[in-house]
């Protein structure tokens, strides 16, 4: 779903320094270097670790159901899975050998994102026992939560993680933060408009009950963080590509697994760098990405003031972290953010989508991320693209509704809604060669 980029005041902060040009160049170089490295390893035949338990396959399943953005609308999500025959009344898997693909953005905005996560974790195991499969993909909001960009996490979302010890943890965490803030007061004064609260009241307002537990749960060792880090950004099943945003024509030089590998590598580097910054006491473990960016900017200022040259490897890691908006997982033309399939004209799209499909030997692409008007799944470019985000969380998107795209072997694509269905596309079957008497 739509999510604005790095907060304006942080952008202004980083633009105030000539160092920004270095960051931009380094970010662009990093993206190109990562892509080149993945391609190099691929050509050498080096096996890259799988990003998801479900590998891409050209073999079509008998029945596949794809669901787009849920955004915490747990009840409607369950109703749609029951409507398509995947869940029973107790929300257990009854889909047999069917495949469910969820294209990301289970969380944020709506009240029951944690329930939606728990459901997929459970039915993923249940489906495997009956020959079915559940394929959860990364959306931009999953990656935002992993990195600590929490602008769309609501107090109600945090409250789902709170327990009897939450207030005690909050008070202790604020004491740590207050000490950190005092130690960095002079440098904070040197950079204008810092995105950090200066008072206890302000800090408590930004870190409600459950905040700390939420951050732990999405950490590399947390229940949800560990699960999400296993997921791919893209999967191909039976000649159909599924992902959250879309594959830009700018990326077709990369194979699908190379894209998955790069997204995974960016998250892994973030985790390593964050842990290093915590161990160096540059940041606190519960810092958001905005707070980390400010702290790293302060670290850069400290490096400049030092009489000895900075450690080159450490310095480069700081630069790469500050350039995270250039990462493939966060770029506007990246697989989790791209909106071209919705925005292209028919003439422009016909040409561009042919390039994308040809690059991956695929017939169709299914994406979400951009809410479709009137709450209908949209087929574009002669049935080559299906846009399946219909604004399930209708309390946030008026006129939105729950939906799913059902795909049957043979190429029949049907939009399913709670109150009906609509056949969107059906592959033309080859004429029979059997002679008639």
């Amino acid at each position: 779903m739509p999510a604005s980029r790095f907060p304006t005041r942080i952008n202004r902060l980083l633009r105030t320094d000539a160092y920004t040009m270095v960051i931009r160049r380094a970010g662009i170089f990093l993206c190109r270097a990562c892509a080149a490295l993945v391609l190099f390893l691929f050509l050498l035949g080096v096996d890259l670790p799988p990003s998801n338990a479900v590998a891409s396959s050209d073999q079509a399943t008998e029945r596949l159901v794809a669901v787009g953005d849920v955004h915490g609308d747990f009840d409607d999500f369950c109703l749609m899975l029951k409507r398509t025959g995947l869940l029973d009344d107790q929300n257990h898997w009854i889909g047999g050998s069917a495949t469910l693909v969820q294209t990301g953005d289970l969380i944020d905005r709506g009240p029951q994102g944690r329930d939606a996560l728990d459901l997929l974790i459970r039915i993923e195991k249940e489906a495997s026992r009956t020959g079915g499969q559940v394929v959860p993909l990364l959306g931009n909001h999953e990656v935002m939560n992993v990195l600590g960009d929490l602008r769309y996490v609501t107090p109600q979302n945090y409250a789902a993680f709170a327990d009897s010890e939450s207030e005690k943890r909050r008070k202790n965490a604020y004491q740590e933060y207050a000490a950190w803030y005092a130690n960095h007061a002079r440098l904070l004064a040197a950079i204008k408009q810092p995105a950090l609260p200066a008072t206890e009241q302000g800090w408590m307002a930004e870190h409600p009950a459950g905040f700390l537990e939420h951050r732990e749960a999405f950490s590399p060792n947390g229940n949800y963080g560990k699960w999400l880090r296993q997921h791919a950004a893209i999967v191909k099943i039976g000649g159909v590509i599924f992902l959250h945003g879309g594959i830009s024509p700018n990326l077709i030089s990369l194979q699908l697994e190379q894209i998955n590998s790069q997204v995974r590598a960016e998250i892994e580097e973030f985790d390593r760098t964050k842990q290093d910054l915590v161990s160096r006491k540059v940041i606190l473990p519960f810092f958001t990405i905005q707070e980390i960016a400010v702290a790293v900017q302060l670290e850069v200022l400290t490096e400049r003031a030092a009489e000895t040259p900075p450690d080159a490897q450490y310095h480069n890691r700081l630069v790469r972290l500050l350039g995270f908006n250039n990462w493939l997982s966060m770029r506007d033309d990246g697989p989790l953010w791209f909106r071209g399939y919705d925005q292209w004209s028919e003439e422009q799209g016909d040409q561009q989508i042919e390039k994308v499909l040809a690059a991956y030997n695929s017939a169709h692409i299914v994406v979400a991320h951009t809410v479709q008007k009137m709450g209908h799944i949209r087929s574009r470019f002669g049935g080559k693209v299906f846009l399946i985000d219909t604004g399930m969380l209708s309390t946030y998107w008026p006129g939105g509704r729950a939906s799913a795209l059902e795909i049957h072997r043979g190429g029949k694509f049907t939009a399913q809604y709670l109150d009906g269905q609509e056949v969107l596309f059906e592959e033309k079957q080859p004429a029979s060669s059997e002679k008639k008497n």
Side-chain angles (χ1 to χ4, degrees):
M1 299 311 298
S4 58
R5 312 302 291 157
F6 201 39
T8 302
R9 56 180 173 175
I10 296 295
N11 276 327
R12 286 201 301 265
L13 182 155
L14 296 179
R15 281 200 300 266
T16 59
D17 200 282
Y19 189 68
T20 305
M21 186 58 68
V22 177
I23 294 170
R24 286 197 187 117
R25 290 174 179 169
I28 294 171
F29 174 78
L30 172 65
C31 290
R32 292 174 178 170
C34 286
L37 176 60
V38 171
L39 179 59
F40 177 68
L41 292 174
F42 178 81
L43 292 174
L44 284 180
V46 176
D47 289 332
L48 296 170
S51 57
N52 196 322
V54 180
S56 294
S57 170
D58 286 325
Q59 184 175 357
T61 60
E62 191 65 35
R63 188 169 77 98
L64 184 149
V65 176
V67 178
D69 300 34
V70 175
H71 281 298
D73 190 351
F74 175 74
D75 292 339
D76 281 337
F77 183 37
C78 291
L79 287 174
M80 181 48 61
L81 296 184
K82 293 170 185 175
R83 161 81 179 174
T84 52
L86 299 182
L87 294 187
D88 63 17
D89 290 340
Q90 286 72 46
N91 295 335
H92 289 288
W93 181 265
I94 55 169
S97 61
T99 295
L100 168 65
V101 178
Q102 201 286 312
T103 57
D105 280 12
L106 279 170
I107 53 179
D108 288 352
R109 292 195 172 104
Q112 292 181 275
R114 184 175 189 180
D115 292 331
L117 288 168
D118 288 338
L119 175 69
L120 272 197
I121 291 172
R122 177 167 52 78
I123 66 172
E124 186 178 28
K125 298 172 183 175
E126 293 178 352
S128 67
R129 300 188 195 115
T130 65
Q133 58 181 357
V134 174
V135 186
L137 298 176
L138 290 174
N140 60 311
H141 281 263
E142 279 76 30
V143 172
M144 289 168 73
N145 274 255
V146 164
L147 299 183
D149 187 347
L150 310 175
R151 290 168 290 142
Y152 299 91
V153 184
T154 69
Q156 193 171 357
N157 296 151
Y158 290 129
F161 291 83
D163 59 32
S164 60
E165 297 293 313
S166 291
E167 285 306 314
K168 180 180 178 180
R169 294 191 195 99
R170 284 177 80 208
K171 291 177 181 178
N172 291 338
Y174 174 72
Q175 294 304 317
E176 291 182 64
Y177 172 77
W180 181 94
Y181 192 95
N183 289 336
H184 294 81
R186 183 180 62 81
L187 287 173
L188 285 168
I191 56 173
K192 298 177 181 179
Q193 298 176 318
L196 300 176
T199 66
E200 180 175 2
Q201 182 179 8
W203 190 90
M204 288 292 184
E206 293 185 15
H207 302 77
F211 176 94
L212 297 169
E213 293 82 1
H214 176 279
R215 298 314 307 133
E216 178 62 29
F218 282 87
S219 72
N221 295 320
N223 186 37
Y224 304 117
K226 188 181 298 183
W227 184 71
L228 289 171
R229 283 167 172 81
Q230 298 172 5
H231 295 162
I234 306 175
V235 70
K236 177 183 171 185
I237 302 174
V240 182
I241 295 173
F242 299 86
L243 73 160
H244 185 66
I247 303 175
S248 165
N250 298 335
L251 297 181
I252 60 175
S253 62
L254 294 175
Q255 296 191 14
L256 298 183
E257 184 50 37
Q258 291 172 321
I259 295 174
N260 283 332
S261 295
Q262 187 166 332
V263 169
R264 183 172 62 251
E266 289 169 355
I267 294 174
E268 289 174 351
E269 177 166 9
F270 171 81
D271 290 338
R272 288 193 300 269
T273 302
K274 181 181 177 183
Q275 184 56 47
D276 187 29
L277 292 172
V278 170
S279 66
R280 292 172 183 259
K281 301 188 185 305
V282 174
I283 64 172
L284 296 172
F286 49 80
F287 269 15
T288 66
I289 190 64
Q290 290 82 10
E291 293 167 337
I292 291 172
V294 172
V296 170
Q297 184 75 354
L298 300 183
E299 185 75 347
V300 170
L301 292 176
T302 301
E303 283 185 339
R304 290 184 186 176
E307 296 181 358
T308 57
D311 176 271
Q313 185 177 13
Y314 176 58
H315 175 81
N316 290 337
R317 289 170 68 187
L318 297 182
V319 171
R320 290 196 296 269
L321 181 57
L322 284 174
F324 77 91
N325 266 340
N326 291 314
W327 294 357
L328 185 64
S329 57
M330 295 296 288
R331 281 162 41 186
D332 286 336
D333 68 343
L336 308 183
W337 294 87
F338 186 61
R339 299 186 189 277
Y341 303 165
D342 176 76
Q343 298 169 345
W344 286 339
S345 67
E346 285 295 323
E347 181 179 3
Q348 180 186 20
D350 280 335
Q351 299 173 359
Q352 299 286 7
I353 205 65
E354 285 292 350
K355 297 177 185 177
V356 175
L357 291 172
Y360 302 109
N361 191 29
S362 299
H364 309 277
I365 300 181
V366 176
V367 299
H369 187 49
T370 303
V371 177
Q372 298 304 295
K373 297 178 181 178
M374 308 301 293
H376 283 269
I377 292 176
R378 185 160 60 132
S379 171
R380 298 203 70 192
F381 317 120
K384 296 181 177 69
V385 171
F386 295 88
L387 300 112
I388 65 171
D389 182 1
T390 55
M392 183 180 295
L393 185 63
S394 59
T395 55
Y396 192 93
W397 287 278
R401 60 172 169 169
S403 66
L405 180 67
E406 189 169 13
I407 306 173
H408 285 271
R409 188 192 297 271
K412 183 177 180 181
F413 293 72
T414 304
Q416 294 283 358
Y417 307 103
L418 295 179
D419 59 354
Q421 63 182 33
E422 176 187 8
V423 176
L424 300 177
F425 180 81
E426 193 163 3
E427 299 278 9
K428 293 181 179 179
Q429 300 300 318
S432 175
S433 59
E434 183 180 350
K435 292 182 180 180
K436 296 181 179 180
N437 294 327

